[in-house]
């Protein structure tokens, strides 16, 4: 989670991660030089839950924060959550499950936008499609463009990041990155 001055949203985000039904996870919070209480909130979570690790760094931007998280990660899978987002408590188990069932290196699920109001639980059900990387890359056009471009709502095998990082200093850093990860995957599971 790249964290920069998101104090009003951070509790809801991290609470959704610590509540995951798949318990064998590490949660890496990269405090990117926050000037509000975000860094202290990160430290509170790390003190209360040994699955949470915090990296504090001078402000360098979201790409550098994501890259620092990639380098710090020790697991076989990587996922990204923006600090003003929250996720279903079943997200990790769902994505790992559909990846395993499809023998895929990348799992993708839908997401929905809110403006902060209460929402009904997201449905982590439905048809799961296993696509080749070429088939999945076709989803980068049309109505699924923003859904596919975002690194959020995805679970990546760690090895997909060999030689791939988010470009520092670039706006819309995900547009320069996620298609490379999809291309590197042999198979992509989409729910």
């Amino acid at each position: 989670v790249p964290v920069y001055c998101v104090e009003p949203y951070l509790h809801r985000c991290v609470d959704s991660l610590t509540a995951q039904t798949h318990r064998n996870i590490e949660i890496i919070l990269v405090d990117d030089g926050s000037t509000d209480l975000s860094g202290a909130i990160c430290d509170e979570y790390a003190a209360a839950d040994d699955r949470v690790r915090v990296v504090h760094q001078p402000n360098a931007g979201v790409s550098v924060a994501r890259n620092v998280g990639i380098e710090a990660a020790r697991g076989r899978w990587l996922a990204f959550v923006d600090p003003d987002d929250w996720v279903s408590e079943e997200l990790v188990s769902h994505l790992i499950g559909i990846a395993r069932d499809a023998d895929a290196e990348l799992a993708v699920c839908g997401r929905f936008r809110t403006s902060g109001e209460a929402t009904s639980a997201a449905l982590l059900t439905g048809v799961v499609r296993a696509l080749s990387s070429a088939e999945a890359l076709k989803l980068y056009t049309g109505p699924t463009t923003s859904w596919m471009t975002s690194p959020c709502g995805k679970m990546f095998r760690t090895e997909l990041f060999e030689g791939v990082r988010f470009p520092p200093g670039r706006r819309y850093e995900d547009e320069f990155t996620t298609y490379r990860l999809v291309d590197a995957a042999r198979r992509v599971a989409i729910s």
Side-chain angles (χ1 to χ4, degrees):
V1 180
V3 176
Y4 179 72
C5 297
V6 288
E7 182 182 344
Y9 312 105
L10 195 53
H11 284 289
R12 187 171 194 179
C13 175
V14 181
D15 286 346
S16 75
L17 298 173
T18 59
Q20 291 298 299
T21 58
H22 186 92
R23 303 299 296 168
N24 186 21
I25 62 173
E26 62 181 345
I27 301 163
I28 302 169
L29 306 174
V30 181
D31 172 28
D32 192 34
S34 295
T35 57
D36 64 1
L37 294 177
S38 295
I41 293 169
C42 291
D43 290 338
E44 289 171 16
Y45 277 99
D49 189 327
D50 62 2
R51 298 172 302 159
V52 178
R53 290 192 294 141
V54 181
V55 177
H56 295 282
Q57 66 180 29
N59 181 255
V62 68
S63 289
V64 172
R66 289 190 203 281
N67 292 339
V68 165
I70 293 167
E71 295 298 325
R74 297 182 287 225
R76 293 186 356 232
W77 293 93
L78 292 172
F80 299 90
V81 177
D82 285 342
D84 59 344
D85 294 345
W86 71 94
V87 300
S88 164
E89 64 187 23
E90 299 288 333
L91 179 69
V92 173
S93 61
H94 177 72
L95 289 174
I96 288 175
I98 68 170
R100 183 181 357 94
D101 292 349
D103 190 27
E105 297 84 16
L106 171 57
V108 181
C109 69
R111 48 192 190 137
F112 60 96
R113 294 185 183 274
T114 71
S115 59
E117 72 278 1
T119 61
S120 60
L123 296 177
L124 293 173
T125 60
V127 176
V128 175
R129 299 182 320 182
L131 304 177
S132 68
S133 62
E135 292 169 321
L137 285 170
K138 291 178 183 175
L139 297 174
Y140 276 82
T141 62
T144 55
T145 300
S146 67
W147 175 61
M148 284 299 292
T149 302
S150 173
C152 301
K154 296 175 179 61
M155 185 77 68
F156 304 89
R157 284 298 298 232
T158 303
E159 56 266 18
L160 294 178
F161 283 91
E162 291 176 12
V164 177
R165 292 296 184 270
F166 292 91
R170 296 298 296 261
R171 295 185 83 186
Y172 307 109
E173 78 289 345
D174 48 4
E175 291 182 2
F176 300 93
T177 310
T178 57
Y179 78 91
R180 295 173 63 198
L181 301 165
V182 171
D183 186 53
R186 182 182 43 80
R187 185 168 299 152
V188 179
I190 296 183
S191 163

